[in-house]
Amino acid sequence: MRERTRLGATEHAPSSDFPSTGTARPLRHAWWRLMDIRIGIVPLPVHMVLALALIATAISGKLSAELSPIIALLAVCSFTCMEIGQRIPVFRSIGGPVILVTFLPSYLVFTHALPTSVVKPIVDFWKAGNFLYLFIPAIIVGSILSMDRKVLIDGFVRIFVPLGVGSLVAGVVGTAVGTMLGMDVFHTVFFVVIPVMSGGLGEGVIPLTLGYSEVLHQPAGELLAQALPAVMLGNVSAIVFSGVLNAIGKRYPSLTGNGQLMRSGNDGLPQAAKSTAPIDVTDIAAAGMIAVCLYFVGTLAQNTLGLPGPVLMLVLAVAAKAFFVFSPRLEQGSGVVYKFFATAVTYPLLFAIGVVITPWQKIIASFNVPTLVTIVATVATLMATAFVIGRRMNMYPIDAAIVVGTHSGMGGTGDVAILTSANRMRLMPFAQIATRIGGAITITLSLIVLAKIV
């Protein structure tokens, strides 16, 4: 099969299904070659038609928050930004596509370059659909069930070591850098270093600052405003460093598993029990329902028992994999679900995140030299320590560093952005451990220490 370079994918020479003569065949083949040029996943002619239709609809003020127009809008906007980011030298090697897809829309909203007729449907869809909580279960459950069993179990046990050591070393280094640059020790620790590793927004810095408010007897809103920039810039730093590590991995393949955390493993499933028959659409649909079911059970536990829903969902998926709950066909179907969401949904989701929950003014407000250097030093130390520890624990050091780097992200949305910049969405289950469990431990210990010193 002949292959050609194209925008965002690989062009395959079209096959002729119908015999023809004269000029019909060359014209048809030329049209098929044009159709095989992709903007992200969208064929170029389809992308152009969609873009023109969306512009016309937005100008008329009739762009709605219904599913079909929102899919079209997010796909056209996000994959256009992605293609631009992939074509900027150097920038593309440090997570440029992800940075552009996430932060350009934030800037465009801030400057009102994106009209209200475009922003409002995205905001309404995000608030009404909460689409992130379909994406994350599909990625987590799909990647866990399709993962090598022994590697999965070993990885879950071992990842806590580089995560814990990395967090301690990063805390010490970040505090030292901040104080050397003239910042107060208390502010450096509790409003820069700890928020970076608190686990994001909704389950991280917001409950952290609510705890601060109870201890310090200050308004929670004011405390959140002080801590929020550290979360934003910590996320950006992790995106950039993950992109750099991905580039290093391409140059030194021995350092990376390209989405595999442990260096070796065998899932222990007898070969005769492995499915050799091709899966069909019902297997894929069933796997999708498994992800929805596990998410629903996790949410129910969160509402009734107070347990973090995503963490319980993750534990249930690991247990199901470890104890052979689902058949090999369903596990293969889960792999297809994972690949679909990772390929087709990630960039549109990041664009929506940039529009809805990434305030440009908060990012800019944090750009003072001491804070910026402290955050970068904290994240760099966190990931460098994980690199060294992971290598000593028979992990691929680049993958271990990227997983632990999600500890400094913006929760689930940060995990998506960081892993996408490194092209390692398969590490999402381990990233959830670093983000959710690591963040919860960081918040708990921080509030205990704060209560004792105030």
Side-chain angles (χ1 to χ4, degrees):
M1 182 72 73
R2 181 169 60 91
E3 295 187 354
R4 302 163 64 96
T5 302
R6 66 179 178 180
L7 295 176
T10 305
E11 182 183 351
H12 297 274
S15 61
S16 178
D17 296 321
F18 304 100
S20 59
T21 59
T23 60
R25 177 178 293 181
L27 288 175
R28 184 170 64 223
H29 285 191
W31 174 251
W32 285 349
R33 283 194 295 271
L34 188 63
M35 273 290 184
D36 280 340
I37 297 174
R38 305 284 175 84
I39 304 296
I41 63 169
V42 186
L44 179 58
V46 176
H47 183 277
M48 295 173 66
V49 171
L50 276 177
L52 293 173
L54 287 167
I55 291 171
T57 307
I59 290 174
S60 67
K62 295 182 179 179
L63 189 61
S64 72
E66 295 177 357
L67 186 60
S68 293
I70 287 296
I71 289 175
L73 175 62
L74 294 179
V76 168
C77 294
S78 65
F79 289 123
T80 300
C81 293
M82 183 200 78
E83 292 289 353
I84 295 171
Q86 285 181 339
R87 278 156 181 76
I88 303 176
V90 181
F91 184 61
R92 66 189 175 198
S93 299
I94 59 171
V98 172
I99 294 172
L100 205 64
V101 171
T102 306
F103 295 102
L104 179 59
S106 174
Y107 172 75
L108 295 177
V109 170
F110 175 71
T111 59
H112 304 289
L114 272 181
T116 304
S117 60
V118 172
V119 174
K120 187 177 184 301
I122 297 175
V123 174
D124 292 344
F125 172 78
W126 181 272
K127 291 181 177 179
N130 209 2
F131 190 72
L132 181 64
Y133 290 101
L134 173 61
F135 178 85
I136 289 180
I139 290 291
I140 290 177
V141 175
S143 58
I144 286 177
L145 295 186
S146 60
M147 192 181 295
D148 180 282
R149 184 170 279 99
K150 186 176 185 300
V151 170
L152 174 67
I153 296 171
D154 286 350
F156 266 79
V157 172
R158 297 191 188 193
I159 193 61
F160 284 100
V161 177
L163 176 62
V165 176
S167 299
L168 288 173
V169 177
V172 172
V173 172
T175 302
V177 170
T179 53
M180 284 191 297
L181 293 174
M183 290 197 296
D184 177 74
V185 175
F186 183 86
H187 178 83
T188 302
V189 173
F190 290 99
F191 290 94
V192 179
V193 174
I194 288 174
V196 167
M197 298 184 288
S198 64
L201 295 174
E203 297 181 11
V205 74
I206 290 177
L208 176 69
T209 51
L210 287 174
Y212 285 177
S213 178
E214 292 291 328
V215 176
L216 300 175
H217 306 291
Q218 296 181 22
E222 295 180 5
L223 298 173
L224 177 61
Q226 295 182 57
L228 187 58
V231 181
M232 297 283 188
L233 280 180
N235 192 65
V236 176
S237 299
I239 290 172
V240 173
F241 289 141
S242 296
V244 171
L245 285 171
N246 183 46
I248 293 173
K250 292 177 180 178
R251 186 160 187 173
Y252 303 99
S254 63
L255 297 177
T256 178
N258 293 311
Q260 180 175 314
L261 186 62
M262 303 302 298
R263 285 191 176 274
S264 62
N266 186 338
D267 64 8
L269 188 63
Q271 189 63 33
K274 291 182 181 289
S275 176
T276 56
I279 60 173
D280 59 27
V281 69
T282 59
D283 298 315
I284 299 169
M289 289 307 301
I290 290 171
V292 171
C293 175
L294 293 178
Y295 169 72
F296 187 77
V297 172
T299 302
L300 183 64
Q302 182 171 340
N303 294 335
T304 57
L305 305 176
L307 299 173
V311 172
L312 182 59
M313 176 186 68
L314 188 151
V315 170
L316 289 173
V318 172
K321 179 70 177 182
F323 293 103
F324 304 93
V325 171
F326 300 113
S327 69
R329 289 177 66 91
L330 289 175
E331 291 186 349
Q332 291 177 27
S334 297
V336 176
V337 171
Y338 155 77
K339 290 176 184 177
F340 171 79
F341 275 84
T343 302
V345 182
T346 300
Y347 282 100
L349 180 66
L350 288 173
F351 190 90
I353 288 169
V355 170
V356 181
I357 60 173
T358 308
W360 182 258
Q361 56 272 33
K362 292 290 185 183
I363 299 172
I364 296 303
S366 60
F367 270 92
N368 61 77
V369 173
T371 300
L372 181 60
V373 174
T374 301
I375 292 170
V376 171
T378 301
V379 178
T381 304
L382 178 69
M383 298 178 74
T385 304
F387 184 99
V388 174
I389 299 295
R391 192 170 191 175
R392 291 180 175 273
M393 296 188 66
N394 201 35
M395 298 178 181
Y396 286 105
I398 286 178
D399 299 85
I402 291 169
V403 167
V404 174
T406 61
H407 185 34
S408 59
M410 289 174 56
T413 58
D415 292 345
V416 174
I418 293 165
L419 296 182
T420 302
S421 72
N423 194 26
R424 282 167 174 77
M425 194 63 76
R426 186 169 288 277
L427 294 172
M428 179 63 83
F430 303 108
Q432 286 286 296
I433 290 177
T435 303
R436 307 286 182 179
I437 299 178
I441 293 173
T442 299
I443 291 171
T444 302
L445 294 177
S446 301
L447 293 177
I448 291 173
V449 172
L450 181 64
K452 289 185 176 297
I453 65 175
V454 172

